[in-house]
PDB file of all heavy atoms in Angstrom:
ATOM      1  N   THR A   1      10.760  -8.389  35.873  1.00 97.00           N
ATOM      2  CA  THR A   1       9.961  -8.398  37.101  1.00 97.00           C
ATOM      3  C   THR A   1       9.229  -9.720  37.285  1.00 97.00           C
ATOM      4  O   THR A   1       8.881 -10.077  38.398  1.00 97.00           O
ATOM      5  CB  THR A   1       8.907  -7.266  37.122  1.00 97.00           C
ATOM      6  OG1 THR A   1       7.903  -7.518  36.129  1.00 97.00           O
ATOM      7  CG2 THR A   1       9.530  -5.899  36.918  1.00 97.00           C
ATOM      8  N   GLY A   2       8.969 -10.424  36.175  1.00 97.00           N
ATOM      9  CA  GLY A   2       8.215 -11.663  36.240  1.00 97.00           C
ATOM     10  C   GLY A   2       6.725 -11.443  36.466  1.00 97.00           C
ATOM     11  O   GLY A   2       5.980 -12.384  36.706  1.00 97.00           O
ATOM     12  N   LEU A   3       6.295 -10.184  36.377  1.00 98.00           N
ATOM     13  CA  LEU A   3       4.900  -9.825  36.601  1.00 98.00           C
ATOM     14  C   LEU A   3       4.267  -9.338  35.297  1.00 98.00           C
ATOM     15  O   LEU A   3       4.978  -8.824  34.433  1.00 98.00           O
ATOM     16  CB  LEU A   3       4.789  -8.698  37.635  1.00 98.00           C
ATOM     17  CG  LEU A   3       5.353  -8.967  39.019  1.00 98.00           C
ATOM     18  CD1 LEU A   3       5.368  -7.682  39.835  1.00 98.00           C
ATOM     19  CD2 LEU A   3       4.535 -10.038  39.711  1.00 98.00           C
ATOM     20  N   PRO A   4       2.945  -9.450  35.187  1.00 98.00           N
ATOM     21  CA  PRO A   4       2.283  -8.822  34.044  1.00 98.00           C
ATOM     22  C   PRO A   4       2.261  -7.306  34.253  1.00 98.00           C
ATOM     23  O   PRO A   4       1.650  -6.823  35.205  1.00 98.00           O
ATOM     24  CB  PRO A   4       0.874  -9.415  34.060  1.00 98.00           C
ATOM     25  CG  PRO A   4       0.664  -9.896  35.458  1.00 98.00           C
ATOM     26  CD  PRO A   4       2.022 -10.199  36.025  1.00 98.00           C
ATOM     27  N   VAL A   5       2.981  -6.589  33.406  1.00 98.00           N
ATOM     28  CA  VAL A   5       3.079  -5.127  33.501  1.00 98.00           C
ATOM     29  C   VAL A   5       2.517  -4.535  32.222  1.00 98.00           C
ATOM     30  O   VAL A   5       2.858  -4.980  31.116  1.00 98.00           O
ATOM     31  CB  VAL A   5       4.541  -4.669  33.675  1.00 98.00           C
ATOM     32  CG1 VAL A   5       4.618  -3.147  33.762  1.00 98.00           C
ATOM     33  CG2 VAL A   5       5.178  -5.303  34.902  1.00 98.00           C
ATOM     34  N   THR A   6       1.640  -3.534  32.359  1.00 98.00           N
ATOM     35  CA  THR A   6       1.116  -2.851  31.184  1.00 98.00           C
ATOM     36  C   THR A   6       1.510  -1.386  31.224  1.00 98.00           C
ATOM     37  O   THR A   6       1.782  -0.818  32.278  1.00 98.00           O
ATOM     38  CB  THR A   6      -0.418  -2.955  31.082  1.00 98.00           C
ATOM     39  OG1 THR A   6      -1.014  -2.334  32.217  1.00 98.00           O
ATOM     40  CG2 THR A   6      -0.868  -4.398  30.970  1.00 98.00           C
ATOM     41  N   LEU A   7       1.515  -0.789  30.040  1.00 98.00           N
ATOM     42  CA  LEU A   7       1.841   0.620  29.859  1.00 98.00           C
ATOM     43  C   LEU A   7       0.717   1.234  29.042  1.00 98.00           C
ATOM     44  O   LEU A   7       0.292   0.663  28.035  1.00 98.00           O
ATOM     45  CB  LEU A   7       3.173   0.752  29.107  1.00 98.00           C
ATOM     46  CG  LEU A   7       3.663   2.162  28.829  1.00 98.00           C
ATOM     47  CD1 LEU A   7       4.170   2.805  30.102  1.00 98.00           C
ATOM     48  CD2 LEU A   7       4.772   2.133  27.783  1.00 98.00           C
ATOM     49  N   SER A   8       0.247   2.392  29.482  1.00 98.00           N
ATOM     50  CA  SER A   8      -0.807   3.057  28.712  1.00 98.00           C
ATOM     51  C   SER A   8      -0.535   4.556  28.652  1.00 98.00           C
ATOM     52  O   SER A   8       0.169   5.119  29.491  1.00 98.00           O
ATOM     53  CB  SER A   8      -2.182   2.789  29.325  1.00 98.00           C
ATOM     54  OG  SER A   8      -2.250   3.282  30.646  1.00 98.00           O
ATOM     55  N   VAL A   9      -1.100   5.159  27.629  1.00 96.00           N
ATOM     56  CA  VAL A   9      -0.974   6.595  27.421  1.00 96.00           C
ATOM     57  C   VAL A   9      -2.300   7.115  26.877  1.00 96.00           C
ATOM     58  O   VAL A   9      -2.932   6.475  26.036  1.00 96.00           O
ATOM     59  CB  VAL A   9       0.189   6.930  26.460  1.00 96.00           C
ATOM     60  CG1 VAL A   9       0.001   6.328  25.105  1.00 96.00           C
ATOM     61  CG2 VAL A   9       0.408   8.414  26.362  1.00 96.00           C
ATOM     62  N   ALA A  10      -2.702   8.260  27.387  1.00 90.00           N
ATOM     63  CA  ALA A  10      -3.900   8.974  26.926  1.00 90.00           C
ATOM     64  C   ALA A  10      -5.070   8.045  26.626  1.00 90.00           C
ATOM     65  O   ALA A  10      -5.479   7.290  27.480  1.00 90.00           O
ATOM     66  CB  ALA A  10      -3.564   9.860  25.741  1.00 90.00           C
ATOM     67  N   ASP A  11      -5.573   8.094  25.402  1.00 86.00           N
ATOM     68  CA  ASP A  11      -6.774   7.346  25.036  1.00 86.00           C
ATOM     69  C   ASP A  11      -6.486   6.016  24.348  1.00 86.00           C
ATOM     70  O   ASP A  11      -7.382   5.425  23.756  1.00 86.00           O
ATOM     71  CB  ASP A  11      -7.651   8.203  24.112  1.00 86.00           C
ATOM     72  CG  ASP A  11      -8.125   9.464  24.810  1.00 86.00           C
ATOM     73  OD1 ASP A  11      -8.329   9.412  26.042  1.00 86.00           O
ATOM     74  OD2 ASP A  11      -8.286  10.498  24.146  1.00 86.00           O
ATOM     75  N   LYS A  12      -5.243   5.560  24.423  1.00 93.00           N
ATOM     76  CA  LYS A  12      -4.889   4.289  23.775  1.00 93.00           C
ATOM     77  C   LYS A  12      -5.039   3.137  24.764  1.00 93.00           C
ATOM     78  O   LYS A  12      -4.911   3.312  25.975  1.00 93.00           O
ATOM     79  CB  LYS A  12      -3.459   4.345  23.251  1.00 93.00           C
ATOM     80  CG  LYS A  12      -3.290   5.382  22.157  1.00 93.00           C
ATOM     81  CD  LYS A  12      -1.893   5.373  21.595  1.00 93.00           C
ATOM     82  CE  LYS A  12      -1.770   6.433  20.506  1.00 93.00           C
ATOM     83  NZ  LYS A  12      -0.426   6.469  19.954  1.00 93.00           N
ATOM     84  N   GLU A  13      -5.285   1.965  24.222  1.00 96.00           N
ATOM     85  CA  GLU A  13      -5.395   0.760  25.041  1.00 96.00           C
ATOM     86  C   GLU A  13      -4.040   0.435  25.670  1.00 96.00           C
ATOM     87  O   GLU A  13      -2.994   0.646  25.046  1.00 96.00           O
ATOM     88  CB  GLU A  13      -5.834  -0.424  24.175  1.00 96.00           C
ATOM     89  CG  GLU A  13      -7.270  -0.343  23.706  1.00 96.00           C
ATOM     90  CD  GLU A  13      -8.253  -0.492  24.854  1.00 96.00           C
ATOM     91  OE1 GLU A  13      -8.053  -1.355  25.725  1.00 96.00           O
ATOM     92  OE2 GLU A  13      -9.225   0.280  24.871  1.00 96.00           O
ATOM     93  N   PRO A  14      -4.038  -0.111  26.890  1.00 97.00           N
ATOM     94  CA  PRO A  14      -2.775  -0.524  27.522  1.00 97.00           C
ATOM     95  C   PRO A  14      -2.100  -1.614  26.700  1.00 97.00           C
ATOM     96  O   PRO A  14      -2.769  -2.433  26.071  1.00 97.00           O
ATOM     97  CB  PRO A  14      -3.209  -1.069  28.884  1.00 97.00           C
ATOM     98  CG  PRO A  14      -4.587  -0.548  29.102  1.00 97.00           C
ATOM     99  CD  PRO A  14      -5.193  -0.336  27.748  1.00 97.00           C
ATOM    100  N   VAL A  15      -0.763  -1.612  26.734  1.00 98.00           N
ATOM    101  CA  VAL A  15       0.004  -2.635  26.027  1.00 98.00           C
ATOM    102  C   VAL A  15       0.912  -3.365  27.013  1.00 98.00           C
ATOM    103  O   VAL A  15       1.186  -2.873  28.109  1.00 98.00           O
ATOM    104  CB  VAL A  15       0.865  -2.032  24.882  1.00 98.00           C
ATOM    105  CG1 VAL A  15      -0.008  -1.346  23.849  1.00 98.00           C
ATOM    106  CG2 VAL A  15       1.927  -1.091  25.421  1.00 98.00           C
ATOM    107  N   ASN A  16       1.368  -4.517  26.605  1.00 98.00           N
ATOM    108  CA  ASN A  16       2.309  -5.312  27.395  1.00 98.00           C
ATOM    109  C   ASN A  16       3.648  -4.576  27.431  1.00 98.00           C
ATOM    110  O   ASN A  16       4.300  -4.414  26.398  1.00 98.00           O
ATOM    111  CB  ASN A  16       2.455  -6.694  26.751  1.00 98.00           C
ATOM    112  CG  ASN A  16       3.422  -7.583  27.473  1.00 98.00           C
ATOM    113  OD1 ASN A  16       4.142  -7.172  28.372  1.00 98.00           O
ATOM    114  ND2 ASN A  16       3.448  -8.832  27.062  1.00 98.00           N
ATOM    115  N   ALA A  17       4.075  -4.156  28.617  1.00 98.00           N
ATOM    116  CA  ALA A  17       5.324  -3.397  28.742  1.00 98.00           C
ATOM    117  C   ALA A  17       6.553  -4.255  28.462  1.00 98.00           C
ATOM    118  O   ALA A  17       7.643  -3.715  28.264  1.00 98.00           O
ATOM    119  CB  ALA A  17       5.416  -2.773  30.130  1.00 98.00           C
ATOM    120  N   SER A  18       6.409  -5.572  28.425  1.00 98.00           N
ATOM    121  CA  SER A  18       7.527  -6.461  28.121  1.00 98.00           C
ATOM    122  C   SER A  18       7.800  -6.570  26.625  1.00 98.00           C
ATOM    123  O   SER A  18       8.798  -7.157  26.224  1.00 98.00           O
ATOM    124  CB  SER A  18       7.259  -7.867  28.660  1.00 98.00           C
ATOM    125  OG  SER A  18       7.042  -7.829  30.034  1.00 98.00           O
ATOM    126  N   SER A  19       6.918  -6.017  25.812  1.00 98.00           N
ATOM    127  CA  SER A  19       7.056  -6.097  24.361  1.00 98.00           C
ATOM    128  C   SER A  19       7.567  -4.775  23.803  1.00 98.00           C
ATOM    129  O   SER A  19       6.860  -3.766  23.824  1.00 98.00           O
ATOM    130  CB  SER A  19       5.701  -6.432  23.727  1.00 98.00           C
ATOM    131  OG  SER A  19       5.751  -6.221  22.323  1.00 98.00           O
ATOM    132  N   ILE A  20       8.770  -4.785  23.276  1.00 97.00           N
ATOM    133  CA  ILE A  20       9.351  -3.554  22.732  1.00 97.00           C
ATOM    134  C   ILE A  20       8.486  -2.998  21.603  1.00 97.00           C
ATOM    135  O   ILE A  20       8.274  -1.788  21.517  1.00 97.00           O
ATOM    136  CB  ILE A  20      10.811  -3.763  22.273  1.00 97.00           C
ATOM    137  CG1 ILE A  20      11.410  -2.430  21.826  1.00 97.00           C
ATOM    138  CG2 ILE A  20      10.911  -4.807  21.207  1.00 97.00           C
ATOM    139  CD1 ILE A  20      12.882  -2.479  21.522  1.00 97.00           C
ATOM    140  N   LEU A  21       7.960  -3.876  20.754  1.00 97.00           N
ATOM    141  CA  LEU A  21       7.135  -3.398  19.643  1.00 97.00           C
ATOM    142  C   LEU A  21       5.841  -2.762  20.148  1.00 97.00           C
ATOM    143  O   LEU A  21       5.401  -1.729  19.624  1.00 97.00           O
ATOM    144  CB  LEU A  21       6.832  -4.534  18.672  1.00 97.00           C
ATOM    145  CG  LEU A  21       8.038  -5.055  17.900  1.00 97.00           C
ATOM    146  CD1 LEU A  21       7.636  -6.232  17.016  1.00 97.00           C
ATOM    147  CD2 LEU A  21       8.671  -3.962  17.075  1.00 97.00           C
ATOM    148  N   ALA A  22       5.238  -3.365  21.168  1.00 98.00           N
ATOM    149  CA  ALA A  22       4.009  -2.808  21.731  1.00 98.00           C
ATOM    150  C   ALA A  22       4.283  -1.443  22.366  1.00 98.00           C
ATOM    151  O   ALA A  22       3.515  -0.495  22.179  1.00 98.00           O
ATOM    152  CB  ALA A  22       3.409  -3.765  22.751  1.00 98.00           C
ATOM    153  N   VAL A  23       5.386  -1.346  23.096  1.00 97.00           N
ATOM    154  CA  VAL A  23       5.751  -0.073  23.737  1.00 97.00           C
ATOM    155  C   VAL A  23       5.982   0.997  22.681  1.00 97.00           C
ATOM    156  O   VAL A  23       5.471   2.114  22.778  1.00 97.00           O
ATOM    157  CB  VAL A  23       6.993  -0.248  24.643  1.00 97.00           C
ATOM    158  CG1 VAL A  23       7.525   1.100  25.110  1.00 97.00           C
ATOM    159  CG2 VAL A  23       6.656  -1.134  25.836  1.00 97.00           C
ATOM    160  N   MET A  24       6.728   0.675  21.634  1.00 96.00           N
ATOM    161  CA  MET A  24       7.007   1.644  20.579  1.00 96.00           C
ATOM    162  C   MET A  24       5.739   2.034  19.822  1.00 96.00           C
ATOM    163  O   MET A  24       5.624   3.162  19.354  1.00 96.00           O
ATOM    164  CB  MET A  24       8.076   1.099  19.630  1.00 96.00           C
ATOM    165  CG  MET A  24       9.451   1.067  20.281  1.00 96.00           C
ATOM    166  SD  MET A  24      10.736   0.378  19.202  1.00 96.00           S
ATOM    167  CE  MET A  24      10.710   1.530  17.865  1.00 96.00           C
ATOM    168  N   SER A  25       4.791   1.110  19.727  1.00 96.00           N
ATOM    169  CA  SER A  25       3.558   1.392  18.984  1.00 96.00           C
ATOM    170  C   SER A  25       2.725   2.502  19.634  1.00 96.00           C
ATOM    171  O   SER A  25       1.888   3.105  18.970  1.00 96.00           O
ATOM    172  CB  SER A  25       2.708   0.128  18.845  1.00 96.00           C
ATOM    173  OG  SER A  25       2.060  -0.185  20.065  1.00 96.00           O
ATOM    174  N   LEU A  26       2.958   2.771  20.901  1.00 97.00           N
ATOM    175  CA  LEU A  26       2.219   3.842  21.577  1.00 97.00           C
ATOM    176  C   LEU A  26       2.654   5.230  21.115  1.00 97.00           C
ATOM    177  O   LEU A  26       1.917   6.196  21.264  1.00 97.00           O
ATOM    178  CB  LEU A  26       2.386   3.735  23.099  1.00 97.00           C
ATOM    179  CG  LEU A  26       1.711   2.549  23.766  1.00 97.00           C
ATOM    180  CD1 LEU A  26       2.084   2.510  25.247  1.00 97.00           C
ATOM    181  CD2 LEU A  26       0.207   2.611  23.591  1.00 97.00           C
ATOM    182  N   GLY A  27       3.857   5.327  20.555  1.00 95.00           N
ATOM    183  CA  GLY A  27       4.342   6.610  20.051  1.00 95.00           C
ATOM    184  C   GLY A  27       4.520   7.661  21.137  1.00 95.00           C
ATOM    185  O   GLY A  27       4.233   8.839  20.915  1.00 95.00           O
ATOM    186  N   VAL A  28       5.009   7.256  22.295  1.00 96.00           N
ATOM    187  CA  VAL A  28       5.157   8.166  23.426  1.00 96.00           C
ATOM    188  C   VAL A  28       6.372   9.064  23.237  1.00 96.00           C
ATOM    189  O   VAL A  28       7.470   8.589  22.969  1.00 96.00           O
ATOM    190  CB  VAL A  28       5.292   7.381  24.749  1.00 96.00           C
ATOM    191  CG1 VAL A  28       5.487   8.329  25.924  1.00 96.00           C
ATOM    192  CG2 VAL A  28       4.077   6.504  24.962  1.00 96.00           C
ATOM    193  N   GLY A  29       6.157  10.367  23.386  1.00 95.00           N
ATOM    194  CA  GLY A  29       7.229  11.336  23.228  1.00 95.00           C
ATOM    195  C   GLY A  29       7.723  11.890  24.547  1.00 95.00           C
ATOM    196  O   GLY A  29       7.139  11.655  25.610  1.00 95.00           O
ATOM    197  N   HIS A  30       8.812  12.641  24.458  1.00 95.00           N
ATOM    198  CA  HIS A  30       9.398  13.312  25.625  1.00 95.00           C
ATOM    199  C   HIS A  30       8.350  14.196  26.302  1.00 95.00           C
ATOM    200  O   HIS A  30       7.607  14.912  25.642  1.00 95.00           O
ATOM    201  CB  HIS A  30      10.583  14.164  25.174  1.00 95.00           C
ATOM    202  CG  HIS A  30      11.098  15.070  26.242  1.00 95.00           C
ATOM    203  ND1 HIS A  30      11.900  14.617  27.257  1.00 95.00           N
ATOM    204  CD2 HIS A  30      10.911  16.388  26.460  1.00 95.00           C
ATOM    205  CE1 HIS A  30      12.187  15.626  28.054  1.00 95.00           C
ATOM    206  NE2 HIS A  30      11.599  16.723  27.582  1.00 95.00           N
ATOM    207  N   GLY A  31       8.279  14.107  27.619  1.00 96.00           N
ATOM    208  CA  GLY A  31       7.374  14.950  28.375  1.00 96.00           C
ATOM    209  C   GLY A  31       5.949  14.434  28.492  1.00 96.00           C
ATOM    210  O   GLY A  31       5.142  15.014  29.218  1.00 96.00           O
ATOM    211  N   GLN A  32       5.627  13.363  27.786  1.00 97.00           N
ATOM    212  CA  GLN A  32       4.281  12.790  27.897  1.00 97.00           C
ATOM    213  C   GLN A  32       4.180  11.961  29.173  1.00 97.00           C
ATOM    214  O   GLN A  32       5.168  11.391  29.637  1.00 97.00           O
ATOM    215  CB  GLN A  32       3.963  11.889  26.708  1.00 97.00           C
ATOM    216  CG  GLN A  32       3.495  12.627  25.489  1.00 97.00           C
ATOM    217  CD  GLN A  32       2.991  11.648  24.446  1.00 97.00           C
ATOM    218  OE1 GLN A  32       3.785  11.052  23.724  1.00 97.00           O
ATOM    219  NE2 GLN A  32       1.686  11.483  24.366  1.00 97.00           N
ATOM    220  N   SER A  33       2.976  11.881  29.708  1.00 97.00           N
ATOM    221  CA  SER A  33       2.729  11.049  30.885  1.00 97.00           C
ATOM    222  C   SER A  33       2.202   9.695  30.449  1.00 97.00           C
ATOM    223  O   SER A  33       1.386   9.602  29.530  1.00 97.00           O
ATOM    224  CB  SER A  33       1.712  11.719  31.801  1.00 97.00           C
ATOM    225  OG  SER A  33       2.266  12.860  32.377  1.00 97.00           O
ATOM    226  N   VAL A  34       2.686   8.662  31.116  1.00 98.00           N
ATOM    227  CA  VAL A  34       2.235   7.299  30.872  1.00 98.00           C
ATOM    228  C   VAL A  34       1.856   6.671  32.209  1.00 98.00           C
ATOM    229  O   VAL A  34       2.284   7.131  33.264  1.00 98.00           O
ATOM    230  CB  VAL A  34       3.319   6.432  30.190  1.00 98.00           C
ATOM    231  CG1 VAL A  34       3.664   6.971  28.818  1.00 98.00           C
ATOM    232  CG2 VAL A  34       4.554   6.332  31.047  1.00 98.00           C
TER     233      VAL A  34
END
């Protein structure tokens, strides 16, 4: 996208959605809302 995109879940701090490691660190499971 070329844009700063963040992903967040529940009570965790938002992470850089462009970083696979950051995205995986959130531990988001099936059916969870982000």
Side-chain angles (χ1 to χ4, degrees):
T1 68
L3 300 171
V5 180
T6 62
L7 180 73
S8 61
V9 61
D11 298 328
K12 296 183 180 179
E13 289 292 317
V15 299
N16 179 351
S18 302
S19 167
I20 185 173
L21 292 177
V23 170
M24 289 178 62
S25 75
L26 291 174
V28 178
H30 170 78
Q32 278 189 280
S33 291
V34 297

